């Protein structure tokens, strides 16, 4: 994770986004132990309360859980992680489609472009 | 808290005062050794004798320097440790202003007394050396002192009044040290209120305080001199000193009155110091 | 929760010039608060008043319900905006000093941090560079388990690496049930570590708000918002 935050959004929202991405991509694998709030805060250069708030958000979303004695862990519920990944993917696509629409592309043009892109890659 | 403050004040001042007193003691011993050698005619007609004389002179210079050091240290510890950058540390300790002032007062008084004690001891040694005081002479002195005391007792002077006199004299010395320090502290307390020229204003405040006390004491004495009560006082002293016990009593009350005046002066200076440091602190 | 620091109609004048004028504010424990304002806005005056280094001209300032005095100084850990430790003292003597005077001083913590920076405890403060001295000061101040940390310009004039070290030290070491007040005019540098900000200008409190609120409502960083509020 990085220390650069966008200036127009609360930092905790950005932290939630970053961590969702890390969990969905597997950078933070299921069952992995999270550093303490204070260590995370120091590492990211942010306020511990901000980290706390972000973690609570993620916990509410079921992506992490707290074990009273040993700390916080990434959920082992792979279905939940899959749902998160799905949601992130969908929102990426929505953003992409919105941008393309702004440029004046229609659906079939976009699909055609994507196919072309795929052929070039392979 | 006062205990800790005093401990650290000794730590801070000891690193200057212990070497100073050590060097002074060394100079004193060297001077005495030189006196012995000079008297024994050691190295007659050589440059060595000049060196020996220089040692003796160095001792007297050393005494002056040691006293100046003690005085300067008393001033600089207050000024640097409380009124400059270090004041940010000292005034944010969980101690109150009184504890801060007393820790400085007590420690500087102890150094004054120690410097005085050492100077007295070395001077005695030097004088004894110069007049070739022997152990027998000392004995004679002690016996003489004992006889004098016996005589006083025969004349009706009680032991307790003599002890009181001794205690009073010691207390007067301590009080003198405290008031001296306090006059510098009060002046610096007033001077630090200035935003830009703290040092200059401290010096001016010191001069101002001295003049003020001079005026007040002469006004008091003048007022006393013009009243009838002065005759009463003089008369009572005159009757007192006609007997030996009366003389001791007169000395007792004489020192007592002086101490009372000094105590009053000290109290005023203390209040000025404490108020300027607690209500009007103005660290740069 | 009761406030750790509270000001009611607090005023302070210096020879007729008002440095603080009718300040009202309240700071809760557990918050990291930025006291932000241009130079000469009254930040240092406010912090000095909270430390009992100055006496108010009007109104009052309370620390945990008490006027500044020996009792409040026992729970306030203060970093002045200057080097203030006696030059002749060694680091070890400084540790002894803090140990003797502050019941909440955690010596092991300080020793550990000094060790990590490989600062020799036998070294005298007078032998150190200004930067090292400032680090030693910060370590001493942050090794206290205080109720209120008052840090006056802790990152003024330091390089980015040192700034990160300073902020890191603050975040890692402050007592979580305590409040931290960081005064600075370098907002962008501290913004991420703050819960709350107080904007102060010419002795007046202009704004007290949560950082998240400013970002959410204004859609811009505190730094950008500050520039807008204080545009000349």
């Amino acid at each position: 994770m990085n220390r650069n935050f966008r200036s127009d959004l609360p930092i905790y929202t950005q932290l939630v986004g970053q961590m969702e991405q890390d969990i969905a991509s597997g950078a933070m694998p299921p069952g992995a132990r999270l550093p303490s709030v204070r260590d995370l805060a120091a590492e990211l250069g942010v306020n511990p309360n901000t980290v706390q708030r972000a973690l609570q958000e993620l916990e509410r979303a079921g992506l992490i859980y707290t074990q009273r004695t040993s700390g916080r862990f990434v959920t082992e519920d792979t279905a939940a992680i899959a749902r998160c990944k799905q949601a992130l993917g969908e929102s990426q696509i929505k953003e992409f489609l919105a941008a393309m629409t702004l440029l004046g592309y229609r659906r079939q043009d976009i699909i055609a472009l994507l196919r072309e892109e795929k052929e070039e890659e392979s | 808290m006062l205990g800790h403050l005093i401990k650290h004040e000794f730590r801070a001042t000891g690193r200057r005062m212990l070497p100073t007193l050590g060097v002074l003691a060394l100079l004193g011993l060297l001077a005495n050794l030189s006196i012995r050698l000079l008297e024994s005619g050691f190295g007659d007609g050589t440059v060595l004798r000049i060196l020996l004389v220089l040692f003796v002179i160095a001792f007297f210079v050393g005494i002056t320097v040691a006293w100046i050091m003690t005085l300067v240290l008393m001033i600089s510890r207050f000024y640097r440790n409380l009124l400059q950058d270090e004041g940010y540390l000292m005034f944010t300790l969980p101690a109150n202003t009184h504890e801060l002032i007393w820790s400085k007062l007590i420690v500087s008084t102890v150094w004054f007394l120690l410097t005085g004690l050492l100077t007295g001891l070395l001077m005695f040694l030097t004088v004894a050396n110069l007049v070739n005081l022997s152990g027998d002479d000392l004995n004679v002195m002690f016996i003489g002192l004992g006889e004098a005391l016996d005589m006083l007792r025969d004349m009706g002077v009680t032991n307790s009044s003599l002890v009181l006199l001794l205690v009073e004299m010691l207390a007067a010395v301590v009080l003198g040290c405290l008031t001296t320090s306090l006059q510098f502290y009060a002046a610096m307390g007033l001077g630090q209120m200035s935003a830009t020229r703290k040092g200059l204003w401290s010096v001016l405040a010191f001069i101002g305080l001295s003049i003020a006390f001079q005026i007040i004491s002469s006004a008091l004495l003048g007022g006393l001199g013009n009243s009838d009560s002065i005759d009463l006082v003089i008369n009572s002293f005159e009757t007192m000193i006609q007997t030996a016990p009366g003389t001791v009593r007169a000395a007792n009350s004489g020192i007592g009155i002086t101490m009372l005046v000094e105590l009053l002066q000290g109290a005023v200076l203390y209040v000025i110091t404490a108020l300027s440091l607690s209500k009007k602190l103005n660290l740069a | 929760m009761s406030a750790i620091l509270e000001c009611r109609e607090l005023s302070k004048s210096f020879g007729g010039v008002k440095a603080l004028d009718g300040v009202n504010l309240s700071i809760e424990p557990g918050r990291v608060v930025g006291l932000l304002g241009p130079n000469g806005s009254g930040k240092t005056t406010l912090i000095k008043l909270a430390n009992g280094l100055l006496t108010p001209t009007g109104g009052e300032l309370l620390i945990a319900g008490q006027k500044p005095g020996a009792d409040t100084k026992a729970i306030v850990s203060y970093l002045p905006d200057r080097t203030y430790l006696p030059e002749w003292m060694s680091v070890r003597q400084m540790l002894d000093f803090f140990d003797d005077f502050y019941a909440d001083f955690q010596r092991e913590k300080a020793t550990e941090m000094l060790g990590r920076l490989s600062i020799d405890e036998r070294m005298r403060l007078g032998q150190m560079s200004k930067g090292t001295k400032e680090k030693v000061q910060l370590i001493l101040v942050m090794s206290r388990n205080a109720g209120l940390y008052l840090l006056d310009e802790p990152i003024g004039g330091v390089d980015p690496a040192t700034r990160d070290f300073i902020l890191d030290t603050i975040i890692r070491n402050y007592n979580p049930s305590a409040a931290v007040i960081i005064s600075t005019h370098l907002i962008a540098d501290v913004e991420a570590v703050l819960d709350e900000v107080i904007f102060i200008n010419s002795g007046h409190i202009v704004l007290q708000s949560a950082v998240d609120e400013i970002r959410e409502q204004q859609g811009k960083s505190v730094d950008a918002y500050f520039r807008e509020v204080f545009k000349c």
Side-chain angles (χ1 to χ4, degrees):
Chain A
M1 280 183 248
N2 64 53
R3 280 183 178 228
N4 300 320
F5 297 98
R6 283 168 58 182
S7 59
D8 54 348
L9 274 179
I11 290 170
Y12 85 93
T13 331
Q14 299 179 53
L15 279 184
V16 170
Q18 283 184 21
M19 292 179 83
E20 276 178 347
Q21 188 150 3
D22 286 348
I23 292 171
S25 70
M28 273 159 65
R33 191 166 179 278
L34 292 166
S36 74
V37 168
R38 206 170 266 247
D39 284 343
L40 262 177
E43 197 182 306
L44 297 164
V46 301
N47 182 300
N49 290 328
T50 307
V51 173
Q52 186 78 29
R53 200 168 163 188
L55 292 178
Q56 275 165 1
E57 200 94 332
L58 289 166
E59 206 163 331
R60 214 172 302 128
L63 288 174
I64 61 174
Y65 65 96
T66 307
Q67 226 159 37
R68 208 162 272 284
T69 47
S70 43
R72 286 193 172 79
F73 299 86
V74 176
T75 184
E76 280 150 43
D77 178 356
T78 42
I81 296 177
R83 275 199 301 278
C84 168
K85 190 171 182 173
Q86 177 82 23
L88 284 175
E90 277 168 12
S91 83
Q92 284 289 328
I93 287 178
K94 265 191 199 129
E95 258 178 57
F96 167 70
L97 287 178
M100 293 301 275
T101 314
L102 262 179
L103 284 173
Y105 285 101
R106 284 169 305 161
R107 279 297 156 97
Q108 50 263 54
D109 302 333
I110 297 171
I111 293 168
L113 268 175
L114 281 173
R115 281 226 180 82
E116 240 171 75
E117 183 78 7
K118 206 187 166 215
E119 276 156 21
E120 271 171 31
E121 258 177 36
S122 54
Chain B
M1 223 17 86
L2 185 61
H4 286 313
L5 285 170
I6 290 175
K7 170 185 150 190
H8 286 278
E9 189 59 23
F10 270 123
R11 207 180 217 189
T13 48
R15 78 200 172 93
R16 289 264 182 275
M17 283 312 292
L18 291 179
T20 304
L21 295 182
V23 168
L24 182 61
L26 203 71
L27 283 174
L29 294 178
L30 259 164
N32 274 289
L33 190 71
S34 305
I35 291 169
R36 277 285 165 90
L37 288 173
L38 282 168
E39 284 184 344
S40 71
F42 175 80
D44 253 339
T46 62
V47 209
L48 211 61
R49 285 183 77 82
I50 298 172
L51 196 71
L52 292 176
V53 174
L54 281 180
F55 275 138
V56 180
I57 295 170
F59 169 51
F60 288 99
V61 173
I63 291 176
T64 319
V65 171
W67 278 100
I68 292 173
M69 275 286 294
T70 316
L71 189 75
V72 167
L73 193 67
M74 177 267 286
I75 297 169
S76 78
R77 277 300 295 167
F78 193 87
Y79 193 71
R80 289 191 56 183
N81 190 233
L82 293 183
L83 303 179
Q84 296 200 306
D85 283 353
E86 290 171 32
Y88 284 82
L89 176 67
M90 300 310 289
F91 280 107
T92 51
L93 293 175
N96 59 43
T97 315
H98 299 290
E99 290 171 315
L100 289 175
I101 299 173
W102 275 108
S103 67
K104 297 272 183 275
L105 264 180
I106 291 168
V107 172
S108 73
T109 299
V110 167
W111 289 123
F112 274 130
L113 293 178
L114 281 179
T115 309
L117 202 70
L118 186 66
T119 313
L121 215 73
L122 291 173
M123 291 291 261
F124 177 77
L125 199 67
T126 313
V127 172
N129 222 336
L130 280 172
V131 301
N132 276 318
L133 205 66
S134 66
D136 286 344
D137 294 335
L138 269 179
N139 259 340
V140 172
M141 268 173 63
F142 276 121
I143 291 165
L145 194 66
E147 281 171 353
L149 285 176
D150 283 342
M151 244 161 69
L152 284 174
R153 268 194 286 273
D154 287 343
M155 289 192 290
V157 177
T158 56
N159 273 336
S160 55
S161 65
L162 285 174
V163 171
L164 182 67
L165 192 64
L166 198 70
V167 170
E168 265 193 342
M169 287 198 285
L170 279 177
V173 170
V174 173
L175 196 61
C177 292
L178 291 175
T179 316
T180 307
S181 297
L182 274 171
Q183 181 154 349
F184 284 99
Y185 292 176
M188 288 185 272
L190 292 172
Q192 61 92 27
M193 291 182 203
S194 155
T196 46
R197 298 173 167 269
K198 295 180 191 298
L200 177 70
W201 280 105
S202 298
V203 174
L204 291 178
F206 186 84
I207 297 169
L209 283 172
S210 307
I211 294 173
F213 281 117
Q214 206 78 57
I215 290 172
I216 292 168
S217 60
S218 54
L220 276 178
L221 279 179
L224 210 63
N226 289 332
S227 68
D228 298 334
S229 48
I230 191 69
D231 295 329
L232 225 69
V233 174
I234 290 171
N235 280 339
S236 66
F237 266 90
E238 272 174 352
T239 26
M240 270 200 269
I241 57 172
Q242 271 158 23
T243 61
T247 311
V248 175
R249 226 176 318 128
N252 271 341
S253 18
I255 299 177
I257 291 168
T258 322
M259 275 174 67
L260 201 71
V261 173
E262 197 143 5
L263 196 67
L264 224 66
Q265 184 180 348
V268 169
L269 291 168
Y270 182 85
V271 169
I272 294 175
T273 311
L275 280 181
S276 57
L277 293 193
S278 55
K279 301 271 182 248
K280 292 279 171 199
L281 189 65
N282 184 22
L283 296 178
Chain C
M1 232 187 279
S2 62
I4 182 80
L5 174 72
E6 191 167 15
C7 303
R8 296 193 196 120
E9 289 302 321
L10 181 70
S11 297
K12 177 70 189 176
S13 322
F14 296 101
V17 181
K18 283 195 170 172
L20 286 181
D21 189 8
V23 165
N24 286 299
L25 63 88
S26 168
I27 287 165
E28 307 281 308
R31 319 280 283 164
V32 182
V33 181
L35 182 61
L36 314 176
N39 285 328
S41 53
K43 302 187 296 278
T44 295
T45 303
L46 182 59
I47 286 182
K48 279 183 168 185
L49 283 163
N51 277 304
L53 291 172
L54 293 172
T55 319
T57 323
E60 63 175 358
L61 179 147
L62 301 174
I63 309 263
Q66 282 183 297
K67 285 193 175 165
D71 290 338
T72 68
K73 288 171 188 177
I75 59 164
V76 172
S77 195
Y78 169 46
L79 184 73
D81 60 347
R82 63 191 64 219
T83 51
Y84 70 116
L85 301 178
E87 300 263 288
W88 62 271
M89 283 176 92
S90 68
V91 175
R92 186 166 300 149
Q93 284 174 323
M94 242 14 266
L95 293 171
D96 290 344
F97 191 92
F98 268 63
D99 229 355
D100 275 348
F101 285 105
Y102 296 111
D104 60 6
F105 183 63
Q106 300 151 289
R107 192 181 182 130
E108 330 73 59
K109 208 169 176 176
T111 314
E112 196 250 329
M113 281 193 265
L114 289 164
R116 241 187 296 140
L117 291 181
S118 24
I119 293 175
D120 187 350
E121 287 187 14
R122 286 166 303 183
M123 199 142 128
R124 287 178 196 286
L125 281 130
Q127 298 171 304
M128 295 174 182
S129 68
K130 188 161 178 279
T132 312
K133 262 187 243 174
E134 285 172 345
K135 282 177 190 157
V136 171
Q137 290 181 175
L138 182 78
I139 287 173
L140 289 169
V141 166
M142 293 313 299
S143 294
R144 285 185 57 199
N145 198 5
L148 175 63
Y149 299 84
L150 295 170
L151 314 175
D152 198 357
E153 294 282 1
I155 53 162
V158 302
D159 57 86
T162 309
R163 180 199 63 209
D164 285 351
F165 165 78
I166 292 170
L167 295 176
D168 203 85
T169 307
I170 297 169
I171 292 169
R172 279 188 200 275
N173 294 291
Y174 82 92
N175 172 3
S177 58
V180 183
I181 298 180
I182 302 174
S183 113
T184 186
H185 59 282
L186 305 166
I187 299 160
D189 288 344
V190 293
E191 185 167 347
V193 308
L194 304 176
D195 283 302
E196 225 176 85
V197 289
I198 294 170
F199 285 4
I200 183 171
N201 195 20
S202 330
H204 294 274
I205 301 296
V206 180
L207 168 98
Q208 180 174 8
S209 170
V211 170
D212 286 343
E213 247 168 61
I214 291 180
R215 286 175 169 246
E216 259 162 59
Q217 289 169 6
Q218 308 292 331
K220 56 180 70 127
S221 69
V222 174
D223 187 37
Y225 187 51
F226 181 88
R227 282 166 207 271
E228 188 181 301
V229 171
F230 288 95
K231 198 156 56 187
C232 9

